[in-house]
Amino acid sequence: MVRWADAGDLPGLVAIELAADAMFEQVGITFPPGTTQVEEVADPSAVLVEGDPPDGFALMGQVDGNLHLEQLAVRPSRMRRGIGGRLVAAVRDHALACGVPAVTLTTFRDVPWNAPWYERHGFAVLPEREWGPELRALVEHERELGIEVAPRVVMSAAVS
């Protein structure tokens, strides 16, 4: 069951994010050292979780008037059970309730559980000419942090 996170959930989400990030090593991607995205969250109202305790989470923000999926992570031992799909559906439902036109995200183009997975969940690559100024700045910030260690894309799904 997808629900809003509470403050007590946040510390446990760090282990989920780290474990999910470690999965990238099997495709030759290692992230630069630093804090996880969820460690920087002060307000649990930006996070949806599934399970109690959570087995996965979706961290959201606002970018160029759209809902932006900043991070989606599922505990590796619980993957392939629909958790990520339910979280993405809940993010899209939340975007609809907020009245925004789309959900955006950045992800690795060639990693099977990244861009191809999001395509199966209704997202499409957003051409650079359609990026707004905040999205462009976010992509540049990711590059500065060293996250772009493999080809990345911006994706979008219309909310309807």
Side-chain angles (χ1 to χ4, degrees):
M1 174 181 90
V2 176
R3 61 180 174 82
W4 290 103
D6 60 49
D9 291 321
L10 295 179
L13 301 181
V14 174
I16 294 172
E17 186 172 351
L18 289 171
D21 284 355
M23 297 280 299
F24 286 90
E25 292 173 12
Q26 64 186 291
V27 292
I29 295 172
T30 344
F31 294 107
T35 58
T36 63
Q37 286 189 287
V38 78
E39 281 178 283
E40 297 175 8
V41 172
D43 181 4
S45 71
V47 183
L48 289 166
V49 296
E50 178 165 305
D52 193 8
D55 287 317
F57 71 90
L59 171 60
M60 300 167 289
Q62 292 274 332
V63 175
D64 293 321
N66 293 308
L67 194 66
H68 186 77
L69 180 56
E70 295 178 10
Q71 178 69 293
L72 178 73
V74 175
R75 189 181 311 279
S77 64
R78 303 286 295 157
M79 286 179 170
R80 306 197 56 78
R81 298 179 187 193
I83 295 169
R86 288 189 293 276
L87 285 165
V88 165
V91 166
R92 292 182 74 174
D93 287 348
H94 179 59
L96 182 63
C98 290
V100 299
V103 175
T104 58
L105 59 88
T106 61
T107 193
F108 290 104
R109 183 189 70 198
D110 302 321
V111 176
W113 62 90
N114 275 209
W117 185 88
Y118 285 111
E119 284 177 350
R120 291 192 301 275
H121 287 84
F123 286 80
V125 172
L126 186 65
E128 187 171 350
R129 68 183 176 279
E130 295 179 30
W131 299 359
E134 293 174 349
L135 191 53
R136 191 170 305 284
L138 186 142
V139 169
E140 184 57 37
H141 182 66
E142 286 183 354
R143 289 179 180 146
E144 289 168 2
L145 291 174
I147 293 170
E148 193 172 34
V149 294
R152 288 181 63 80
V153 292
V154 173
M155 301 184 83
S156 176
V159 174
S160 56

PDB file of all heavy atoms in Angstrom, residues 138-158:
ATOM      1  N   LEU A 138      18.708  21.808 -13.381  1.00  0.00           N
ATOM      2  CA  LEU A 138      18.799  20.548 -12.640  1.00  0.00           C
ATOM      3  C   LEU A 138      19.732  19.568 -13.348  1.00  0.00           C
ATOM      4  O   LEU A 138      20.579  18.938 -12.712  1.00  0.00           O
ATOM      5  CB  LEU A 138      17.397  19.940 -12.488  1.00  0.00           C
ATOM      6  CG  LEU A 138      17.301  18.705 -11.636  1.00  0.00           C
ATOM      7  CD1 LEU A 138      16.023  18.737 -10.810  1.00  0.00           C
ATOM      8  CD2 LEU A 138      17.294  17.456 -12.494  1.00  0.00           C
ATOM      9  N   VAL A 139      19.604  19.459 -14.667  1.00  0.00           N
ATOM     10  CA  VAL A 139      20.479  18.564 -15.439  1.00  0.00           C
ATOM     11  C   VAL A 139      21.927  19.024 -15.311  1.00  0.00           C
ATOM     12  O   VAL A 139      22.832  18.208 -15.112  1.00  0.00           O
ATOM     13  CB  VAL A 139      20.028  18.493 -16.914  1.00  0.00           C
ATOM     14  CG1 VAL A 139      21.073  17.803 -17.780  1.00  0.00           C
ATOM     15  CG2 VAL A 139      18.679  17.784 -17.024  1.00  0.00           C
ATOM     16  N   GLU A 140      22.151  20.320 -15.384  1.00  0.00           N
ATOM     17  CA  GLU A 140      23.511  20.852 -15.239  1.00  0.00           C
ATOM     18  C   GLU A 140      24.061  20.554 -13.844  1.00  0.00           C
ATOM     19  O   GLU A 140      25.228  20.187 -13.697  1.00  0.00           O
ATOM     20  CB  GLU A 140      23.529  22.355 -15.520  1.00  0.00           C
ATOM     21  CG  GLU A 140      24.910  22.956 -15.488  1.00  0.00           C
ATOM     22  CD  GLU A 140      25.889  22.305 -16.458  1.00  0.00           C
ATOM     23  OE1 GLU A 140      25.496  21.930 -17.581  1.00  0.00           O
ATOM     24  OE2 GLU A 140      27.073  22.164 -16.081  1.00  0.00           O
ATOM     25  N   HIS A 141      23.217  20.687 -12.828  1.00  0.00           N
ATOM     26  CA  HIS A 141      23.634  20.384 -11.455  1.00  0.00           C
ATOM     27  C   HIS A 141      24.016  18.906 -11.317  1.00  0.00           C
ATOM     28  O   HIS A 141      25.020  18.574 -10.676  1.00  0.00           O
ATOM     29  CB  HIS A 141      22.522  20.759 -10.481  1.00  0.00           C
ATOM     30  CG  HIS A 141      22.873  20.522  -9.050  1.00  0.00           C
ATOM     31  ND1 HIS A 141      23.865  21.215  -8.385  1.00  0.00           N
ATOM     32  CD2 HIS A 141      22.365  19.643  -8.156  1.00  0.00           C
ATOM     33  CE1 HIS A 141      23.955  20.774  -7.149  1.00  0.00           C
ATOM     34  NE2 HIS A 141      23.062  19.825  -6.979  1.00  0.00           N
ATOM     35  N   GLU A 142      23.228  18.012 -11.920  1.00  0.00           N
ATOM     36  CA  GLU A 142      23.573  16.577 -11.888  1.00  0.00           C
ATOM     37  C   GLU A 142      24.939  16.339 -12.526  1.00  0.00           C
ATOM     38  O   GLU A 142      25.732  15.549 -12.031  1.00  0.00           O
ATOM     39  CB  GLU A 142      22.515  15.745 -12.624  1.00  0.00           C
ATOM     40  CG  GLU A 142      21.217  15.592 -11.877  1.00  0.00           C
ATOM     41  CD  GLU A 142      20.226  14.697 -12.605  1.00  0.00           C
ATOM     42  OE1 GLU A 142      20.491  14.277 -13.760  1.00  0.00           O
ATOM     43  OE2 GLU A 142      19.177  14.407 -12.014  1.00  0.00           O
ATOM     44  N   ARG A 143      25.202  17.024 -13.627  1.00  0.00           N
ATOM     45  CA  ARG A 143      26.504  16.882 -14.299  1.00  0.00           C
ATOM     46  C   ARG A 143      27.630  17.354 -13.392  1.00  0.00           C
ATOM     47  O   ARG A 143      28.665  16.706 -13.288  1.00  0.00           O
ATOM     48  CB  ARG A 143      26.508  17.658 -15.617  1.00  0.00           C
ATOM     49  CG  ARG A 143      25.653  17.012 -16.674  1.00  0.00           C
ATOM     50  CD  ARG A 143      25.642  17.810 -17.968  1.00  0.00           C
ATOM     51  NE  ARG A 143      24.795  17.136 -18.942  1.00  0.00           N
ATOM     52  CZ  ARG A 143      24.057  17.762 -19.842  1.00  0.00           C
ATOM     53  NH1 ARG A 143      24.081  19.084 -19.925  1.00  0.00           N
ATOM     54  NH2 ARG A 143      23.312  17.076 -20.679  1.00  0.00           N
ATOM     55  N   GLU A 144      27.411  18.482 -12.712  1.00  0.00           N
ATOM     56  CA  GLU A 144      28.429  19.017 -11.804  1.00  0.00           C
ATOM     57  C   GLU A 144      28.697  18.068 -10.637  1.00  0.00           C
ATOM     58  O   GLU A 144      29.822  17.968 -10.158  1.00  0.00           O
ATOM     59  CB  GLU A 144      27.990  20.382 -11.268  1.00  0.00           C
ATOM     60  CG  GLU A 144      28.023  21.469 -12.307  1.00  0.00           C
ATOM     61  CD  GLU A 144      27.323  22.747 -11.861  1.00  0.00           C
ATOM     62  OE1 GLU A 144      26.833  22.810 -10.705  1.00  0.00           O
ATOM     63  OE2 GLU A 144      27.256  23.680 -12.686  1.00  0.00           O
ATOM     64  N   LEU A 145      27.658  17.371 -10.180  1.00  0.00           N
ATOM     65  CA  LEU A 145      27.814  16.416  -9.081  1.00  0.00           C
ATOM     66  C   LEU A 145      28.495  15.124  -9.524  1.00  0.00           C
ATOM     67  O   LEU A 145      28.871  14.301  -8.695  1.00  0.00           O
ATOM     68  CB  LEU A 145      26.448  16.067  -8.475  1.00  0.00           C
ATOM     69  CG  LEU A 145      25.737  17.171  -7.707  1.00  0.00           C
ATOM     70  CD1 LEU A 145      24.346  16.710  -7.293  1.00  0.00           C
ATOM     71  CD2 LEU A 145      26.550  17.575  -6.477  1.00  0.00           C
ATOM     72  N   GLY A 146      28.615  14.920 -10.841  1.00  0.00           N
ATOM     73  CA  GLY A 146      29.239  13.710 -11.357  1.00  0.00           C
ATOM     74  C   GLY A 146      28.287  12.541 -11.504  1.00  0.00           C
ATOM     75  O   GLY A 146      28.717  11.394 -11.632  1.00  0.00           O
ATOM     76  N   ILE A 147      26.985  12.805 -11.499  1.00  0.00           N
ATOM     77  CA  ILE A 147      25.997  11.726 -11.632  1.00  0.00           C
ATOM     78  C   ILE A 147      25.935  11.193 -13.057  1.00  0.00           C
ATOM     79  O   ILE A 147      25.628  10.033 -13.286  1.00  0.00           O
ATOM     80  CB  ILE A 147      24.603  12.224 -11.159  1.00  0.00           C
ATOM     81  CG1 ILE A 147      24.657  12.493  -9.653  1.00  0.00           C
ATOM     82  CG2 ILE A 147      23.506  11.221 -11.491  1.00  0.00           C
ATOM     83  CD1 ILE A 147      23.442  13.194  -9.112  1.00  0.00           C
ATOM     84  N   GLU A 148      26.259  12.050 -14.028  1.00  0.00           N
ATOM     85  CA  GLU A 148      26.171  11.625 -15.423  1.00  0.00           C
ATOM     86  C   GLU A 148      27.398  10.790 -15.793  1.00  0.00           C
ATOM     87  O   GLU A 148      28.241  11.205 -16.583  1.00  0.00           O
ATOM     88  CB  GLU A 148      26.029  12.844 -16.338  1.00  0.00           C
ATOM     89  CG  GLU A 148      25.616  12.454 -17.736  1.00  0.00           C
ATOM     90  CD  GLU A 148      25.286  13.667 -18.592  1.00  0.00           C
ATOM     91  OE1 GLU A 148      25.920  14.719 -18.430  1.00  0.00           O
ATOM     92  OE2 GLU A 148      24.390  13.539 -19.429  1.00  0.00           O
ATOM     93  N   VAL A 149      27.476   9.587 -15.217  1.00  0.00           N
ATOM     94  CA  VAL A 149      28.597   8.684 -15.471  1.00  0.00           C
ATOM     95  C   VAL A 149      28.287   7.732 -16.621  1.00  0.00           C
ATOM     96  O   VAL A 149      29.118   6.937 -17.025  1.00  0.00           O
ATOM     97  CB  VAL A 149      28.975   7.895 -14.197  1.00  0.00           C
ATOM     98  CG1 VAL A 149      29.527   8.827 -13.136  1.00  0.00           C
ATOM     99  CG2 VAL A 149      27.777   7.111 -13.678  1.00  0.00           C
ATOM    100  N   ALA A 150      27.073   7.818 -17.144  1.00  0.00           N
ATOM    101  CA  ALA A 150      26.622   7.067 -18.317  1.00  0.00           C
ATOM    102  C   ALA A 150      25.550   7.944 -18.968  1.00  0.00           C
ATOM    103  O   ALA A 150      25.017   8.842 -18.314  1.00  0.00           O
ATOM    104  CB  ALA A 150      26.046   5.712 -17.903  1.00  0.00           C
ATOM    105  N   PRO A 151      25.209   7.688 -20.246  1.00  0.00           N
ATOM    106  CA  PRO A 151      24.225   8.550 -20.916  1.00  0.00           C
ATOM    107  C   PRO A 151      22.899   8.635 -20.153  1.00  0.00           C
ATOM    108  O   PRO A 151      22.344   7.627 -19.731  1.00  0.00           O
ATOM    109  CB  PRO A 151      24.027   7.868 -22.273  1.00  0.00           C
ATOM    110  CG  PRO A 151      25.287   7.108 -22.499  1.00  0.00           C
ATOM    111  CD  PRO A 151      25.725   6.645 -21.133  1.00  0.00           C
ATOM    112  N   ARG A 152      22.456   9.881 -19.975  1.00  0.00           N
ATOM    113  CA  ARG A 152      21.208  10.125 -19.252  1.00  0.00           C
ATOM    114  C   ARG A 152      20.201  10.811 -20.176  1.00  0.00           C
ATOM    115  O   ARG A 152      20.587  11.434 -21.169  1.00  0.00           O
ATOM    116  CB  ARG A 152      21.460  10.997 -18.016  1.00  0.00           C
ATOM    117  CG  ARG A 152      22.204  10.193 -16.943  1.00  0.00           C
ATOM    118  CD  ARG A 152      22.464  10.972 -15.688  1.00  0.00           C
ATOM    119  NE  ARG A 152      21.321  11.426 -14.930  1.00  0.00           N
ATOM    120  CZ  ARG A 152      20.609  10.672 -14.092  1.00  0.00           C
ATOM    121  NH1 ARG A 152      20.903   9.390 -13.938  1.00  0.00           N
ATOM    122  NH2 ARG A 152      19.591  11.175 -13.407  1.00  0.00           N
ATOM    123  N   VAL A 153      18.936  10.710 -19.809  1.00  0.00           N
ATOM    124  CA  VAL A 153      17.869  11.374 -20.545  1.00  0.00           C
ATOM    125  C   VAL A 153      16.922  12.031 -19.558  1.00  0.00           C
ATOM    126  O   VAL A 153      16.857  11.643 -18.384  1.00  0.00           O
ATOM    127  CB  VAL A 153      17.066  10.394 -21.433  1.00  0.00           C
ATOM    128  CG1 VAL A 153      17.915   9.880 -22.584  1.00  0.00           C
ATOM    129  CG2 VAL A 153      16.494   9.236 -20.630  1.00  0.00           C
ATOM    130  N   VAL A 154      16.193  13.009 -20.053  1.00  0.00           N
ATOM    131  CA  VAL A 154      15.079  13.606 -19.336  1.00  0.00           C
ATOM    132  C   VAL A 154      13.837  12.967 -19.915  1.00  0.00           C
ATOM    133  O   VAL A 154      13.706  12.807 -21.128  1.00  0.00           O
ATOM    134  CB  VAL A 154      15.050  15.136 -19.529  1.00  0.00           C
ATOM    135  CG1 VAL A 154      13.789  15.730 -18.921  1.00  0.00           C
ATOM    136  CG2 VAL A 154      16.296  15.772 -18.925  1.00  0.00           C
ATOM    137  N   MET A 155      12.916  12.571 -19.038  1.00  0.00           N
ATOM    138  CA  MET A 155      11.678  11.945 -19.490  1.00  0.00           C
ATOM    139  C   MET A 155      10.498  12.692 -18.890  1.00  0.00           C
ATOM    140  O   MET A 155      10.628  13.373 -17.865  1.00  0.00           O
ATOM    141  CB  MET A 155      11.643  10.465 -19.104  1.00  0.00           C
ATOM    142  CG  MET A 155      12.792   9.677 -19.690  1.00  0.00           C
ATOM    143  SD  MET A 155      12.698   7.906 -19.346  1.00  0.00           S
ATOM    144  CE  MET A 155      11.579   7.415 -20.684  1.00  0.00           C
ATOM    145  N   SER A 156       9.348  12.542 -19.542  1.00  0.00           N
ATOM    146  CA  SER A 156       8.145  13.216 -19.101  1.00  0.00           C
ATOM    147  C   SER A 156       6.945  12.328 -19.381  1.00  0.00           C
ATOM    148  O   SER A 156       6.931  11.557 -20.332  1.00  0.00           O
ATOM    149  CB  SER A 156       7.998  14.532 -19.873  1.00  0.00           C
ATOM    150  OG  SER A 156       6.794  15.183 -19.533  1.00  0.00           O
ATOM    151  N   ALA A 157       5.938  12.447 -18.522  1.00  0.00           N
ATOM    152  CA  ALA A 157       4.658  11.770 -18.738  1.00  0.00           C
ATOM    153  C   ALA A 157       3.561  12.791 -18.496  1.00  0.00           C
ATOM    154  O   ALA A 157       3.533  13.448 -17.444  1.00  0.00           O
ATOM    155  CB  ALA A 157       4.490  10.590 -17.785  1.00  0.00           C
ATOM    156  N   ALA A 158       2.688  12.951 -19.466  1.00  0.00           N
ATOM    157  CA  ALA A 158       1.562  13.879 -19.307  1.00  0.00           C
ATOM    158  C   ALA A 158       0.640  13.354 -18.240  1.00  0.00           C
ATOM    159  O   ALA A 158       0.486  12.145 -18.050  1.00  0.00           O
ATOM    160  CB  ALA A 158       0.823  14.017 -20.631  1.00  0.00           C
TER     161      ALA A 158
END
